[in-house]
Amino acid sequence: KNLRATIAGMRTVWRMSGHTSLPEIETDRRDIDAYLASLPDPSTASDAELRASTSDDLIERFGRWFETHLVVSFGAGTLMAVLTQICEKQLGDESIAIRLVSGLGDVDSAAPASAMWSLGRIVADSPALTAEFDQGVAGLFDRVRELGERSDDSSVASFLASFDDLLDRHGARGANEWDTAFDTWGTDPELALALLDRKRLTDPSNAPAVQRDRLAAEREQLEAETLERLGRPARRLFRRVLRSTRMYLRGRERAKTNVVEAIHGARLRAQELDRRLVARSGGERGDLWFLLIEELDDYVADPAAFRETIGERREMLARLEERIPPFFFEGEQPPLEEWELRSDAAANASRVEPGDVIAGRAGCVGVARGRARVVTDPGDPRGLEP
C-alpha cells in the first residue's frame, strides 16, 4: 500500500539477516546482573529498603530491557517468516523451515527442562521418593525435606541437592513469570514439584538430550539436502537468512530469560514486603498489588489505613472476573453490565462428542495421536498424563 514503507521494511529485513551477533542482549545481561547484585537481602532488609527496591525508575529500566526482548522477538518472527516463504516458493514445502530450526543447542529455555528431566529420573529410580510423590503434590516439599533429615538414602540427598540447585538457577520460571504478583518455582516450589510429578512417569526415550540429538541430526541432513536443491543465487540468500534466523531465535529466548530473572529479583522483595504489611494490617496476601505506585509510601507507613480501598478494588476485580471483556470496541468502552457473563458463555457452549473435529491453529508441524486432556490452570499440569 505504501512504496516507501515497503522499501524501508525490506531494508530492515535485509539488515537483520546480515547480523552475526546481538550485543544488546549481553549489555542488558550485565546491567541486570548489576541490578540484582544491588538488591537487599529480603530476609534482613528493612521495610524502607524493600520499598526502595521497587523505586519508580525501575519501570523505566525494565522498559529498556523489555524493548530489547521485543526487538529481538520481532527479528526472530520476521526472519522466520522470510525463511518459511523461501521454503514455500523455492521448495514447495513451508514446513521445512520449522525443521531447519529444530533441535538448536544453547537455548536458554532448554536448561530448566533438562534439569527437570534429571530430577524426574532420580524420583523414578528411587522407591522412597516415588512413595512420597504417590501421596500427592500437596505438602510434598515438606515431606521430602523431612525424609532427607531422617534417612541416609543417597537418592534422597541427591534429589534435594539437585532440587535446591534448580530453584536457585531457575526459580524465576513459572506460568505467570512476567508478573511479580504471581508465584514461580522459587516462591512456591510445589509448582515445580507438580511438573516433576508428570516428568517422573515419562518414558526414558523422551529425554531432552535424546530428542535434541535426534532433531539436530535430522536438521543437519535436511539442510544439506535443501542446499542441493537450491540454485546458486537462492542458496546464498537461504544461507544468510537461515543463519540469522537461528541466531535471533536463540536471542529471543536469552532476552526473555534476562527480563524474567530481573522480574524475579523484584518479585522476591515485593512479596516479602507484602507478607510483612499484610501481617500488620490483617489483610490478605497480595494486597500490595491493589495499590498505585504513588500510594506505596503511605501504605508502608500505615497498611491498615488502606484496608477499605484494597477491599473495594478486590471486589471490582471479582466483578470483572465474572465477565468476558469485549474483544474490541469503537469509541467508548461498553459498560461492565453489557459484558457477557462467563457463566452464560459456559452454559451456552456446545459440547463435543467422540468423533467431533475441533479446528484451530497448529503450534507446530506434524501429526500426533493421543487422548485430549483439559487443563484449566497453567500452573497445575496434573491433568496431563505421560
Side-chain angles (χ1 to χ4, degrees), residues 326-340:
F327 187 65
F328 70 92
F329 59 87
E330 285 190 52
E332 294 186 7
Q333 176 179 288
L336 180 61
E337 292 71 22
E338 294 182 8
W339 298 11
E340 183 180 12

Side-chain angles (χ1 to χ4, degrees), residues 9-286:
M10 291 172 66
R11 284 176 176 167
T12 298
V13 173
W14 182 252
R15 186 168 60 249
M16 286 191 304
S17 70
H19 288 169
T20 57
S21 65
L22 297 169
E24 61 269 35
I25 294 178
E26 299 311 316
T27 299
D28 285 357
R29 183 71 253 181
R30 289 191 294 271
D31 193 16
I32 289 169
D33 285 342
Y35 158 69
L36 293 173
S38 72
L39 294 173
D41 183 338
S43 64
T44 59
S46 65
D47 292 354
E49 287 174 324
L50 292 175
R51 164 64 183 97
S53 70
T54 61
S55 59
D56 298 356
D57 70 334
L58 192 59
I59 293 175
E60 182 179 342
R61 297 176 70 182
F62 270 91
R64 294 197 301 271
W65 300 329
F66 196 70
E67 181 180 348
T68 298
H69 173 56
L70 291 177
V71 170
V72 174
S73 296
F74 166 76
T78 301
L79 290 167
M80 190 68 207
V82 173
L83 181 64
T84 301
Q85 193 174 60
I86 292 173
C87 292
E88 181 182 16
K89 290 188 175 181
Q90 298 288 332
L91 305 168
D93 185 357
E94 64 178 27
S95 71
I96 290 175
I98 291 288
R99 288 181 282 155
L100 285 169
V101 297
S102 297
L104 295 177
D106 193 28
V107 178
D108 281 34
S109 56
S114 296
M116 275 277 187
W117 177 264
S118 298
L119 281 161
R121 292 302 92 195
I122 294 175
V123 176
D125 295 337
S126 167
L129 289 169
T130 295
E132 295 297 336
F133 271 79
D134 285 346
Q135 293 181 48
V137 173
L140 177 59
F141 184 68
D142 292 334
R143 294 201 308 274
V144 174
R145 291 282 182 204
E146 292 170 4
L147 179 64
E149 291 174 0
R150 67 174 189 269
S151 169
D152 58 359
D153 190 327
S154 60
S155 65
V156 177
S158 176
F159 175 84
L160 288 171
S162 297
F163 190 68
D164 285 342
D165 183 61
L166 174 82
L167 298 182
D168 183 55
R169 293 170 57 203
H170 307 297
R173 294 302 185 180
N176 292 301
E177 56 197 14
W178 291 111
D179 193 328
T180 58
F182 290 92
D183 283 316
T184 58
W185 299 352
T187 57
D188 183 0
E190 284 194 359
L191 295 174
L193 291 171
L195 287 169
L196 276 176
D197 190 40
R198 303 296 87 195
K199 292 278 188 184
R200 71 186 177 102
L201 303 173
T202 306
D203 189 270
S205 63
N206 290 316
V210 173
Q211 299 291 345
R212 184 181 64 247
D213 292 346
R214 176 183 62 81
L215 290 169
E218 294 175 358
R219 184 192 72 236
E220 291 170 5
Q221 180 179 350
L222 178 62
E223 182 177 348
E225 294 172 353
T226 301
L227 288 169
E228 288 184 4
R229 294 173 59 186
L230 293 171
R232 183 172 295 178
R235 191 181 304 158
R236 181 182 176 189
L237 174 63
F238 174 81
R239 279 196 173 114
R240 177 184 175 112
V241 173
L242 179 60
R243 182 197 67 243
S244 57
T245 300
R246 289 170 175 170
M247 181 188 69
Y248 267 89
L249 287 171
R250 288 190 182 98
R252 179 178 63 188
E253 294 301 308
R254 181 143 296 169
K256 177 187 175 182
T257 298
N258 284 349
V259 181
V260 164
E261 290 182 355
I263 289 172
H264 190 56
R267 174 184 293 110
L268 293 175
R269 279 80 193 169
Q271 290 200 7
E272 172 60 20
L273 182 60
D274 177 64
R275 184 190 66 77
R276 296 182 190 180
L277 298 178
V278 165
R280 283 162 47 192
S281 70
E284 298 179 49
R285 186 188 182 205

